[in-house]
Amino acid sequence: MSEKKDMEYYYGFIQGVTSLGINYGQVGDNLPPPDKVLDLLTALKLTKARIYDTNPQVLTTFANSNIELIVTVENQMLPVLMDPQQALQWVSTHIKPYFPATKITGIAVGNEIFTDDDTSLLGYLVPAIVSIHGALVQLGLDKYIQVSTPNSLAVLEVSYPPSAGSFKGEVSGVMSQFLQFLSSTGSPFWINAYPYFAYKDSPNKISLDYALFNKNPGMVDPYTKLHYDNMLYAQVDAVVYAMSRLGYGGIEVRVSETGWPSRGDSNEVGATVQNAAVYNRNLLRRQMSNEGTPLRPNMRLEVYLFALFNEDMKPGPTSERNYGLFQPDGTMAYNVGLSALATSSSTSSASISLTSSATKVIIP
């Protein structure tokens, strides 16, 4: 393949429908090795994944596959990577040796820093992002690898109705600097958006069908008159409005995490196998039709589902350990409608089949 053709393929110009992304977390002591994970992703025709570190075993294993990978800088590294020399060293060690054989397309600098309990981290965020991007520029990689940071929906002071979306006052200073970086580099704003949390906190106020993408009357934003038939799209558009309130209108919003837990504690209303299967199956259907949100109907919303596996060592309530589509042994936690299509000769990432048995539970 010529270099030009190679680059065209790399950018996905000839890949047809872009696949749903998946978050591949590894906070478990019983997870399959990366080569088995790659086999699973390949069988499912998934071509985008995110990991929460720069695990060399994963980066090596995923070389020469068709998986586009977002890697993550751990939160505690931010103070070090503010220093441009340290950032150059980090990129030279953790990114450059694997690229382009491993299709690294993004670097997530920290995770949910704006709302982290350690408020000291926020001051390091933008300098670290700028330094890492500068290192990519120096190494000639900035055209291929985007830099951003995933944000919790808790960065918003107001999220309803979407047109009233605004950031919390205490983060708006650093947020403006961050948005300036995204705007100048053409990078996306990543949001971790979970309608499950909103439903769990107010099950009497919020329609379960609205949260699950099921058929429902939805809501009309009283100011824009836009109709929303699901909560995720409303949350995304609230972020768009919040950014425009700070003077940034053209930044793409991508969902870096969303999902629904299949089990929870007694006070975690709605955390069931049935709801998880319905949420993720409906989300997959939306992704298959390349939908945008009501505010940006012609811009396909990129979504990374959380998560590939149930992770048994995650702290917190029971739900935290039960977001996975799969058990660590490779069996489905529930059938979301992703089919391995083992006999299919198609290599298109569009050939994900939707099955009708999506609520069937096959936990052994």
Side-chain angles (χ1 to χ4, degrees), residues 196-208 267 269-270:
Y196 161 71
F197 291 137
Y199 176 74
K200 173 181 73 79
D201 292 343
S202 307
N204 299 323
K205 284 194 194 155
I206 289 168
S207 152
L208 181 60
N267 64 340
V269 182

Side-chain angles (χ1 to χ4, degrees), residues 73-141:
V73 175
E74 293 92 334
N75 289 6
Q76 67 272 18
M77 287 297 295
L78 266 60
V80 177
L81 297 180
M82 285 174 63
D83 176 350
Q85 278 309 113
Q86 293 287 346
L88 182 61
Q89 178 67 41
W90 186 89
V91 172
S92 299
T93 308
H94 293 84
I95 304 295
K96 191 169 184 288
Y98 304 100
F99 184 90
T102 302
K103 296 187 174 79
I104 300 168
T105 58
I107 299 173
V109 181
N111 191 49
E112 302 191 345
I113 296 292
F114 279 97
T115 50
D116 198 276
D117 290 339
D118 182 355
T119 51
S120 71
L121 287 173
L122 188 52
Y124 304 127
L125 178 63
V126 175
I129 285 173
V130 168
S131 291
I132 288 168
H133 179 257
L136 291 171
V137 170
Q138 216 171 319
L139 296 167
L141 301 178

